[in-house]
Amino acid sequence: DVKVTQSSRYLVKRTGEKVFLECVQDMDHENMFWYRQDPGLGLRLIYFSYDVKMKEKGDIPEGYSVSREKKERFSLILESASTNQTSMYLCASASWGPANEQFFGPGTRLTVL
Amino acid sequence: TQLLEQSPQFLSIQEGENLTVYCNSSSVFSSLQWYRQEPGEGPVLLVTVVTGGEVKKLKRLTFQFGDARKDSSLHITAAQPGDTGLYLCAGSTSGTYKYIFGTGTRLKVLA
């Protein structure tokens, strides 16, 4: 059974803290994605990676960075968390090729106080 | 920034009714996907359409890609409580593996 897992389902942090969200996929996919999901805004792409150590900015990269040291693992980093980063964060992976299915993790609900 | 607008935003219907959800953009997409997301879970792919005018059926769900590849619709026949969830469309333009997601339609089917 294919799977994308995320390190935490719920996370509460304080303003200014450094936050790490980790995502692991077991499908040997080349592409991995980080989105945030907010009511009425759908999913917005933060960053994606098409290979180890390769990354591209999505639509809302400000305040975030990413790391992909191994093919199966893609980390999202909030260097200094702020209250406007309170959101649901979803990780996804997909194989090469256009129109390929994205497989999503269950999400991490992050609250920044 | 490309935008995908979905309508309606919310829909609450009785079991057995039919419904249509729309996904519209001013941009042309090379492919368009529909996902369903249940509470506490990530979205799960329902269908991918790639050809203008294409119609795909998945049991009681019918998906259509507009002729100009700027819009799509999802029609559910005889809705059931198990259809309850958040429906998301996602479009991709040529030469990219990125998808732009729509704003979502939250469907509730009452027994």
Side-chain angles (χ1 to χ4, degrees):
Chain A
D1 197 20
V2 296
K3 198 178 269 191
V4 177
T5 56
Q6 295 184 227
S7 50
S8 305
R9 294 297 294 263
Y10 299 94
L11 211 50
V12 179
K13 295 292 181 181
R14 296 213 173 268
T15 302
E17 281 192 82
K18 191 169 187 176
V19 182
F20 292 89
L21 302 181
E22 294 220 307
C23 174
V24 178
Q25 51 99 358
D26 65 0
M27 292 164 281
D28 201 36
H29 285 162
E30 294 82 5
N31 300 319
M32 295 187 75
F33 308 81
W34 274 107
Y35 296 90
R36 62 177 284 176
Q37 183 174 28
D38 301 287
L41 296 176
L43 274 69
R44 291 180 292 166
L45 181 64
I46 305 171
Y47 270 97
F48 76 101
S49 168
Y50 51 90
D51 201 351
V52 174
K53 297 191 187 293
M54 306 304 288
K55 61 187 179 185
E56 277 199 29
K57 292 180 180 179
D59 298 316
I60 51 165
E62 297 79 18
Y64 304 95
S65 62
V66 290
S67 172
R68 192 161 179 208
E69 297 296 318
K70 293 185 178 182
K71 190 176 185 180
E72 67 271 18
R73 191 178 298 267
F74 192 34
S75 301
L76 180 69
I77 303 149
L78 288 66
E79 293 289 341
S80 178
S82 62
T83 55
N84 63 13
Q85 292 178 308
T86 291
S87 187
M88 170 69 83
Y89 290 88
L90 289 163
C91 173
S93 72
S95 59
W96 273 123
N100 275 354
E101 177 177 2
Q102 291 188 61
F103 292 85
F104 283 86
T108 295
R109 184 163 294 282
L110 172 67
T111 301
V112 183
L113 302 175
Chain B
T1 304
Q2 298 166 313
L3 287 175
L4 269 173
E5 297 287 338
Q6 284 185 240
S7 61
Q9 194 173 357
F10 299 98
L11 196 52
S12 180
I13 61 171
Q14 292 294 133
E15 182 177 3
E17 291 184 18
N18 302 333
L19 66 116
T20 302
V21 176
Y22 299 93
C23 174
N24 294 292
S25 175
S26 57
S27 302
V28 176
F29 293 104
S30 58
S31 63
L32 194 135
Q33 297 180 330
W34 283 92
Y35 289 80
R36 180 169 67 209
Q37 184 178 19
E38 298 185 19
E41 302 295 331
V44 175
L45 182 70
L46 295 172
V47 77
T48 301
V49 286
V50 298
T51 305
E54 183 177 2
V55 176
K56 279 193 175 179
K57 292 193 175 186
L58 184 67
K59 295 184 182 177
R60 294 176 294 99
L61 279 60
T62 301
F63 303 87
Q64 184 161 9
F65 201 10
D67 291 340
R69 290 184 288 130
K70 293 183 178 182
D71 56 87
S72 180
S73 63
L74 157 61
H75 182 79
I76 301 179
T77 302
Q80 297 177 1
D83 296 326
T84 292
L86 178 68
Y87 288 81
L88 295 159
C89 61
S92 177
T93 54
S94 297
T96 177
Y97 296 105
K98 295 194 300 183
Y99 273 87
I100 305 297
F101 277 80
T103 47
T105 295
R106 192 166 294 281
L107 171 66
K108 187 167 187 177
V109 182
L110 305 168

